[in-house]
Amino acid sequence: MSDKPIPMNLDRYAELIGGSAEFLRVWAKVDGPVTCFVNPVPIGPDPFAFGLAMVDCVRHAARAYARAVNIDEAEALARIWEGLDAERAAPTTDPISITAKRDVN
């Protein structure tokens, strides 16, 4: 495994995501924390929109899991909701704030 992030190749989805703006990047370490970078600007000032986007993400993830590990999509969705509920009830990490590094010339 590389120490550098390996981006997912989205070239074949260029037409689908054309005109869109990225608002979330997420990385996970094996047996470690999940690191998320969120830019709320593309989805607007109301956090409600982020919630809607996350539910869309969960539904897409359930379909991806169903295909990847050959389980029923409803079962995958139920397990994702279980994980979300478990993390909400007892968070395993605290969010931190970072500031972007700027190049100084």
Side-chain angles (χ1 to χ4, degrees), residues 5-88:
I6 300 171
M8 296 181 343
N9 185 341
L10 302 177
D11 290 344
R12 68 182 186 169
Y13 304 108
E15 188 174 310
L16 179 65
I17 61 177
S20 300
E22 183 177 61
F23 69 93
L24 175 67
R25 286 193 182 196
V26 181
W27 285 269
K29 290 184 180 181
V30 176
D31 297 323
V34 171
T35 302
C36 307
F37 295 90
V38 179
N39 177 5
V41 172
I43 55 176
D46 187 349
F48 185 87
F50 186 83
L52 293 176
M54 290 299 91
V55 171
D56 286 345
C57 183
V58 165
R59 291 174 47 242
H60 289 289
R63 178 163 289 172
Y65 266 98
R67 291 178 178 170
V69 298
N70 198 30
I71 62 174
D72 182 72
E73 189 174 327
E75 179 184 347
L77 184 61
R79 288 293 292 160
I80 292 170
W81 287 127
E82 286 177 40
L84 285 165
D85 290 341
E87 183 66 15
R88 286 182 68 197

